Amino acid sequence: MGAMRVMLIGGTSNVGKSTVARELADRLGFAYRSTDRLARHPGRPWRTPEREVPAHVTEHYAALTVEELTESVLRHYERLRPRIEELIAAHAGEDGTGPGLVLEGSALLPDHVVRLQGPGTGAVWLTADVSVVRARVYAAGHYDAATPSERLVMDKFVARSERFQSIVLDAVDRLGLTRLDVGDGRPVGEVADAVLDAVDVRDGR
């Protein structure tokens, strides 16, 4: 394998993709990008000090079943395929000497990524038990102080995340791709080391 130019980090929401991806980008001297920046769908349904939840986001999670929520986000990710392909190609370069990229996001679906993985491109999916995802969502959304309607949409988000993870990991295993469980409290540096080991990175510098 030649020098690694593109690292893809997939997985469901709240497993730590962005934290690990930023660490990897710093180590490799690559750009960092999130597929969320390409188009968010429709966003996390809990308030933060910087952000109120738009009414359409609350309605989206409250009105749909878990299966409908999952189907909706999968359709959204399918629509992002061309933009993801363009981004990867631009950073890999035709001769494998592009500027380099660590791209993370739930939109990196295994059946799509497996067709994009060539020399200089590696991919890992991060996983965590649903209890870990739930705890992170509840902490971020201040679940204990939330209203019943706010709790409902957070619970729907967690359920959708669990269903999405099940679908993605079934595909990862079917295609013989790489996954790492990161829900055991390991420091981000150790997770980054494990990702680099898993894809046999050679940064060529």
Side-chain angles (χ1 to χ4, degrees):
M1 186 177 77
M4 178 67 62
R5 304 312 301 163
V6 177
M7 173 77 71
L8 306 174
I9 307 294
T12 197
S13 297
N14 290 275
V15 293
K17 298 184 300 298
S18 61
T19 303
V20 173
R22 287 189 174 95
E23 172 74 13
L24 290 166
D26 286 345
R27 290 192 189 188
L28 297 170
F30 289 176
Y32 160 81
R33 292 287 299 273
S34 171
T35 61
D36 283 350
R37 295 290 184 177
L38 300 178
R40 199 167 179 83
H41 177 76
R44 294 176 177 176
W46 56 84
R47 289 180 287 114
T48 69
E50 300 80 23
R51 173 183 176 271
E52 289 293 328
V53 181
H56 74 274
V57 173
T58 299
E59 182 179 353
H60 175 79
Y61 285 98
L64 300 182
T65 68
V66 172
E67 284 301 319
E68 289 170 336
L69 289 168
T70 306
E71 291 169 5
S72 176
V73 79
L74 286 170
R75 288 194 301 269
H76 171 68
Y77 292 158
E78 287 290 340
R79 291 192 293 269
L80 289 183
R81 280 191 181 206
R83 298 177 69 181
I84 291 171
E85 290 176 359
E86 291 172 4
L87 192 57
I88 291 172
H91 284 81
E94 292 184 4
D95 56 359
T97 59
L101 173 70
V102 179
L103 177 64
E104 59 88 6
S106 300
L108 297 172
L109 300 177
D111 288 281
H112 182 206
V113 168
V114 75
R115 294 194 290 272
L116 298 175
Q117 276 190 279
T121 301
V124 174
W125 280 263
L126 305 185
T127 78
D129 188 82
V130 68
S131 63
V132 174
V133 174
R134 182 183 298 109
R136 291 174 179 174
V137 169
Y138 284 5
H142 302 284
Y143 190 87
D144 290 342
T147 66
S149 61
E150 289 173 330
R151 292 184 180 186
L152 170 66
V153 295
M154 280 189 271
D155 288 338
K156 284 280 192 75
F157 183 91
V158 171
R160 190 209 71 178
S161 297
E162 180 179 18
R163 177 61 181 141
F164 177 83
Q165 177 166 260
S166 175
I167 292 169
V168 167
L169 295 188
D170 283 349
V172 166
D173 293 343
R174 170 171 49 81
L175 295 167
L177 301 174
T178 301
R179 59 150 128 169
L180 291 173
D181 190 321
V182 296
D184 55 4
R186 281 186 293 174
V188 62
E190 289 186 13
V191 177
D193 287 340
V195 170
L196 295 176
D197 290 343
V199 297
D200 190 25
V201 165
R202 299 177 177 87
D203 65 21
R205 290 178 294 166

